[in-house]
Amino acid sequence: MSEYRATYKCRLCGGIFTGAITGKKIAKTETLMIACGSSGEYGTQRKMIHDCNAGHIGMADFLGFQKVGD
């Protein structure tokens, strides 16, 4: 069974990282809720703080859910 990982990209350093892991149905619901301007029902956020490698602190944007597995 496939899993989906919330994926974010930092505006400052360009780093890409993942957050929550869920199933397809919840991933679709969360993406739709974020696209409509709210936080996801299960805690997925539009923006997150990112600790960049050089010690900087950046702002990261939600990109979507990446499929992992099958």
Side-chain angles (χ1 to χ4, degrees):
M1 183 173 184
S2 298
E3 294 180 330
Y4 292 80
R5 294 182 186 209
T7 305
Y8 296 85
K9 183 174 183 179
C10 179
R11 293 181 186 191
L12 185 61
C13 73
I16 295 178
F17 61 98
T18 59
I21 300 171
T22 189
K24 186 174 186 176
K25 185 175 180 179
I26 292 174
K28 283 184 169 185
T29 301
E30 292 288 278
T31 302
L32 179 60
M33 290 181 75
I34 289 170
C36 291
S38 66
S39 292
E41 183 176 339
Y42 296 94
T44 307
Q45 300 174 4
R46 291 179 68 103
K47 306 213 182 297
M48 293 182 71
I49 293 172
H50 181 241
D51 292 320
C52 305
N53 289 336
H56 307 302
I57 300 171
M59 178 68 69
D61 299 302
F62 175 74
L63 298 177
F65 282 87
Q66 289 185 318
K67 183 179 177 182
V68 179
D70 303 321

